[in-house]
Tab-separated table of all heavy atoms in Angstrom:
chain	number	residue	atom	x	y	z
A	439	GLN	N	-33.015	-33.504	10.439
A	439	GLN	CA	-32.655	-34.025	9.122
A	439	GLN	C	-32.345	-32.861	8.191
A	439	GLN	O	-33.168	-32.457	7.390
A	439	GLN	CB	-33.761	-34.895	8.561
A	439	GLN	CG	-35.136	-34.507	9.077
A	439	GLN	CD	-36.191	-35.423	8.536
A	439	GLN	OE1	-36.318	-35.590	7.326
A	439	GLN	NE2	-36.949	-36.030	9.426
A	460	LYS	N	-24.996	-12.977	23.055
A	460	LYS	CA	-26.003	-12.112	22.453
A	460	LYS	C	-26.118	-12.465	20.974
A	460	LYS	O	-25.151	-12.300	20.217
A	460	LYS	CB	-25.586	-10.651	22.601
A	460	LYS	CG	-26.570	-9.680	22.009
A	460	LYS	CD	-25.997	-8.279	22.031
A	460	LYS	CE	-26.678	-7.417	20.985
A	460	LYS	NZ	-25.854	-6.318	20.541
A	488	THR	N	-20.428	-10.900	9.968
A	488	THR	CA	-20.547	-12.098	10.803
A	488	THR	C	-21.069	-13.269	9.977
A	488	THR	O	-20.617	-14.410	10.145
A	488	THR	CB	-21.502	-11.819	11.978
A	488	THR	OG1	-21.061	-10.649	12.653
A	488	THR	CG2	-21.523	-12.979	12.936
A	565	LEU	N	-1.835	-9.545	-9.827
A	565	LEU	CA	-1.676	-8.099	-9.670
A	565	LEU	C	-1.925	-7.393	-11.006
A	565	LEU	O	-2.558	-6.342	-11.057
A	565	LEU	CB	-0.278	-7.768	-9.143
A	565	LEU	CG	-0.122	-7.788	-7.626
A	565	LEU	CD1	1.338	-7.673	-7.231
A	565	LEU	CD2	-0.920	-6.651	-6.991
A	569	GLY	N	-4.781	-4.540	-12.440
A	569	GLY	CA	-4.156	-3.291	-12.865
A	569	GLY	C	-3.146	-2.754	-11.874
A	569	GLY	O	-2.942	-1.543	-11.770
A	603	PHE	N	-15.955	-14.988	-1.055
A	603	PHE	CA	-16.631	-14.165	-0.058
A	603	PHE	C	-15.858	-12.856	0.052
A	603	PHE	O	-14.672	-12.868	0.365
A	603	PHE	CB	-16.631	-14.859	1.309
A	603	PHE	CG	-17.487	-16.089	1.370
A	603	PHE	CD1	-16.999	-17.310	0.933
A	603	PHE	CD2	-18.778	-16.020	1.860
A	603	PHE	CE1	-17.791	-18.447	0.985
A	603	PHE	CE2	-19.571	-17.157	1.917
A	603	PHE	CZ	-19.073	-18.377	1.474
A	660	ALA	N	-34.496	-12.674	0.251
A	660	ALA	CA	-33.366	-13.100	-0.566
A	660	ALA	C	-33.884	-13.651	-1.878
A	660	ALA	O	-34.926	-14.303	-1.903
A	660	ALA	CB	-32.554	-14.168	0.162
A	664	SER	N	-34.087	-8.394	-9.194
A	664	SER	CA	-35.228	-7.769	-9.856
A	664	SER	C	-36.507	-7.945	-9.054
A	664	SER	O	-37.352	-7.059	-9.027
A	664	SER	CB	-35.388	-8.351	-11.263
A	664	SER	OG	-35.379	-9.764	-11.177
A	665	SER	N	-36.656	-9.081	-8.372
A	665	SER	CA	-37.917	-9.301	-7.664
A	665	SER	C	-37.820	-8.967	-6.175
A	665	SER	O	-38.811	-8.616	-5.554
A	665	SER	CB	-38.372	-10.753	-7.849
A	665	SER	OG	-37.365	-11.632	-7.384
A	667	TYR	N	-35.391	-6.832	-4.599
A	667	TYR	CA	-34.880	-5.518	-4.222
A	667	TYR	C	-35.959	-4.471	-4.403
A	667	TYR	O	-35.932	-3.674	-5.346
A	667	TYR	CB	-33.647	-5.197	-5.062
A	667	TYR	CG	-32.754	-4.141	-4.438
A	667	TYR	CD1	-32.120	-4.375	-3.234
A	667	TYR	CD2	-32.555	-2.922	-5.064
A	667	TYR	CE1	-31.311	-3.423	-2.662
A	667	TYR	CE2	-31.744	-1.962	-4.500
A	667	TYR	CZ	-31.120	-2.218	-3.299
A	667	TYR	OH	-30.317	-1.279	-2.725
Side-chain angles (χ1 to χ4, degrees):
Chain A
Q439 28 182 305
K460 180 188 157 205
T488 307
L565 273 171
F603 292 83
S664 50
S665 58
Y667 201 64

